[in-house]
Amino acid sequence: QVQLVESGGGVVQPGGSLRLTCAASGIIFRFATMGWYRQAPGKQRELVAHITSGGSTTYKTSVNGRFTISRDNAKNTVSLQMNNVEPEDTAVYYCNTLPSRSGYWGQGTQVTVSS
């Protein structure tokens, strides 16, 4: 019954910006720690950033200073602002709780960083 829908991906040049949005339903969103994850071809899914119910944020070292995670509890959304993107950021990006739940994974949104 939980549904997480990611949007906002696309093709962007190195150094460019994208904003990803995750719309959540079926969970008590305001109490959930939410994360953005990504999976590149041939690699395991990894946690990129997460934000607690109180707004505390944590980032993977390689994106720290470039990405910003935020949430809007009134809208049940969590966003990822991606600035100064690098080719290594290319992946399918997903949102989920932290810890993640297998039944919560959505389709993700593709981010391709290429010149």
Side-chain angles (χ1 to χ4, degrees):
Q1 192 165 5
V2 171
Q3 185 171 326
L4 300 172
V5 180
E6 302 91 348
S7 63
V11 179
V12 62
Q13 293 184 337
S17 297
L18 282 175
R19 185 175 180 86
L20 310 183
T21 300
C22 170
S25 63
I27 62 172
I28 308 175
F29 182 81
R30 64 190 178 103
F31 293 145
T33 296
M34 299 296 299
W36 279 99
Y37 303 76
R38 68 186 181 189
Q39 186 168 29
K43 298 183 179 180
Q44 294 190 356
R45 186 150 41 202
E46 64 179 355
L47 179 66
V48 176
H50 68 269
I51 183 168
T52 68
S53 61
S56 179
T57 59
T58 303
Y59 299 91
K60 176 179 170 63
T61 301
S62 63
V63 310
N64 197 17
R66 300 188 297 117
F67 293 4
T68 302
I69 188 171
S70 61
R71 67 192 299 158
D72 187 336
N73 288 340
K75 296 181 178 180
N76 282 10
T77 60
V78 58
S79 298
L80 186 70
Q81 178 67 46
M82 305 169 59
N83 295 330
N84 194 25
V85 297
E86 304 170 350
E88 292 75 19
D89 296 322
T90 295
V92 179
Y93 284 71
Y94 304 86
C95 62
N96 208 319
T97 54
L98 183 68
S100 64
R101 292 179 179 266
S102 61
Y104 288 6
W105 298 112
Q107 295 187 73
T109 186
Q110 175 72 51
V111 172
T112 302
V113 182
S114 176
S115 60

